[in-house]
Amino acid sequence: MSSDHLSTTFAALADPTRRAILARLILGEASVTELAEPFAMSLPAVSKHLKVLEHAGLIARSREAQWRPCRLEAGPLKDAADWLEHYRRFWEQSLDRLAAYLPELQRKEKTHGRKK
Amino acid sequence: MSSDHLSTTFAALADPTRRAILARLILGEASVTELAEPFAMSLPAVSKHLKVLEHAGLIARSREAQWRPCRLEAGPLKDAADWLEHYRRFWEQSLDRLAAYLPELQRKEKTHGRKK
């Protein structure tokens, strides 16, 4: 089910270590040891995070090389971005409202300034 | 901390009911009773989901009107979309690779077809 798929993706992204692992994989494939390096974490703790990411389809582990490198799989991230896209007009409206209000604020500021 | 903020946003989005509530709020403000209507859920269960969304800054509840309508707050969704944006080239590359491979597939299909 597409909703469960999205829930799994968002749950996997709801952790700073897992997001940092994905950010590292932007640079290219990496082994579990390499991925664990920047974190003050045991290998099993990192492996647990990798399992969550793998289950969510956000990473894949090569079965060919002995060191089984992890690589980024961006499909679920696209689905998450597509879902968020429906809300874009809301955050753009907020910025538009601010942009529309700004000249008025500046005018008030100037009028206030002249009165002093 | 910005990472905790993102974790809270993604965790709030990792539930189909909460995403459905946000989708309903695209149409405009709604009371808790109105938001609960489409779900086979008790009001307290819906209120619990609303608290998670409110804590994540994804909705705000008016303190003026007696019925305290909920409205969408898109700021955290923009932050989530901005984070995902870093990975766009990965899913676009996958589509590019598919687009590049497609003519070859079609050519093979035709060659195979002619041989028959």
Side-chain angles (χ1 to χ4, degrees):
Chain A
M1 204 168 70
S2 148
S3 318
D4 283 339
H5 175 67
L6 267 178
S7 294
T8 307
T9 304
F10 284 130
L13 297 179
D15 181 278
T17 304
R18 290 197 290 269
R19 291 199 305 279
I21 289 171
L22 294 178
R24 165 61 188 84
L25 292 175
I26 288 181
L27 306 174
E29 292 189 344
S31 69
V32 177
T33 320
E34 283 170 326
L35 289 173
E37 256 169 28
F39 305 107
M41 248 182 213
S42 65
L43 273 184
V46 171
S47 289
K48 216 170 153 184
H49 282 306
L50 292 176
K51 278 210 180 80
V52 176
L53 291 170
E54 199 174 2
H55 171 69
L58 289 163
I59 64 166
R61 299 190 62 184
S62 168
R63 301 195 179 277
E64 288 161 35
Q66 184 95 46
W67 55 296
R68 301 200 57 209
C70 300
R71 66 164 189 276
L72 191 66
E73 291 281 313
L77 296 177
K78 182 186 187 307
D79 296 338
D82 287 347
W83 184 86
L84 285 163
E85 201 53 37
H86 296 115
Y87 298 85
R88 175 177 292 278
R89 65 183 169 98
F90 285 90
W91 69 72
E92 284 181 348
Q93 267 169 16
S94 314
L95 291 178
D96 287 351
R97 272 200 299 272
L98 182 65
Y101 183 52
L102 219 55
E104 194 188 329
L105 264 182
Q106 287 172 314
R107 193 171 44 75
K108 277 182 185 164
E109 183 65 22
K110 276 179 197 161
T111 314
H112 186 72
R114 267 200 293 274
K115 270 182 191 159
K116 267 200 259 184
Chain B
M1 204 170 70
S2 148
S3 333
D4 283 339
H5 174 67
L6 268 178
S7 295
T8 308
T9 303
F10 284 130
L13 297 179
D15 180 279
T17 305
R18 291 198 288 271
R19 291 199 305 279
I21 290 171
L22 294 178
R24 164 60 187 84
L25 292 175
I26 288 181
L27 306 174
E29 291 189 343
S31 69
V32 178
T33 321
E34 283 170 326
L35 289 173
E37 257 169 29
F39 306 107
M41 248 183 213
S42 65
L43 273 184
V46 171
S47 289
K48 214 168 153 187
H49 281 307
L50 293 176
K51 278 211 182 81
V52 175
L53 291 171
E54 200 175 0
H55 172 68
L58 289 164
I59 64 166
R61 300 191 61 184
S62 168
R63 300 195 181 276
E64 288 162 33
Q66 185 95 45
W67 56 295
R68 301 200 58 207
C70 301
R71 66 164 189 278
L72 190 67
E73 292 281 313
L77 297 176
K78 181 186 187 301
D79 296 338
D82 286 348
W83 183 85
L84 285 163
E85 201 54 37
H86 295 114
Y87 298 85
R88 173 177 294 276
R89 66 182 169 97
F90 286 89
W91 69 72
E92 284 181 348
Q93 267 170 16
S94 315
L95 292 177
D96 286 350
R97 272 199 298 271
L98 183 64
Y101 182 52
L102 219 55
E104 194 188 328
L105 264 182
Q106 287 172 315
R107 193 173 43 75
K108 277 182 184 165
E109 182 65 22
K110 274 179 199 161
T111 314
H112 185 73
R114 267 201 295 273
K115 271 181 192 162
K116 267 201 257 187

